[in-house]
Amino acid sequence: MMAKKKPQPSDLELQVLGVLWSRGATTVREILESLPDGKRRADTSVLSVVQVMEKKGLVKRQRERDGLAHVFRAAVSRSQIVGPLLEGMIRKLFGGSPAAAVQQLLTETRPSANEIQEVRRFLDEFEKGQS
């Protein structure tokens, strides 16, 4: 029998995971305040999304609380979610070429000199690991 594939997270679920990956375990209120899209939402809306994510196995509720508020943490790693998403996007949009994807990313996002230096360091380390 084939292993059941986890459902793909929605855009809002991806934002919630991004907050949890960067902040660690946190409350729904803190998640709401940290969502990068800046849309106004009620605590209850974010709580509903987090509860659905808990059922999907994307987040876990901590035993300890922050006062009355439940604390949640990511139950999946960034690489478990982002890896397949990027792989699919590169295959579909760039014919499977990571170089074309990186070129597009660098052209569109205009990284700072420090960010370009970080990319260079990563590529040097990556290349060393390949040999």
Side-chain angles (χ1 to χ4, degrees):
M1 190 160 121
M2 256 180 137
K4 187 177 177 184
K5 190 176 176 185
K6 285 192 177 185
Q8 202 63 281
S10 70
D11 182 58
L12 182 53
E13 289 171 342
L14 287 171
Q15 289 184 63
V16 169
L17 284 170
V19 170
L20 293 173
W21 290 325
S22 65
R23 291 183 61 124
T26 190
T27 65
V28 169
R29 167 67 54 124
E30 292 165 331
I31 292 169
L32 173 64
E33 292 169 355
S34 300
L35 289 173
D37 69 4
K39 291 183 181 175
R40 291 179 51 126
R41 294 182 177 90
D43 289 12
T44 53
S45 298
V46 175
L47 177 60
S48 295
V49 168
V50 171
Q51 288 170 332
V52 168
M53 292 174 72
E54 187 176 20
K55 288 178 184 159
K56 289 180 176 182
L58 298 171
V59 300
K60 287 191 176 176
R61 189 184 315 233
Q62 302 279 108
R63 289 183 191 262
E64 60 277 355
R65 291 180 176 210
D66 182 2
L68 295 175
H70 290 286
V71 176
F72 294 89
R73 67 174 176 80
V76 291
S77 69
R78 186 183 304 262
S79 63
Q80 285 176 292
I81 299 298
V82 176
L85 280 173
L86 285 176
E87 203 174 297
M89 188 181 310
I90 290 168
R91 188 177 59 256
K92 292 173 194 167
L93 299 175
F94 299 98
S97 170
V102 170
Q103 287 171 347
Q104 183 74 36
L105 178 66
L106 294 175
T107 301
E108 295 299 322
T109 59
R110 307 242 183 249
S112 69
N114 286 342
E115 290 170 319
I116 291 170
Q117 193 59 36
E118 285 180 47
V119 170
R120 281 196 178 104
R121 275 194 296 274
F122 172 78
L123 290 173
D124 289 344
E125 290 299 314
F126 186 80
E127 203 169 45
K128 285 177 190 172
Q130 295 291 311
S131 51

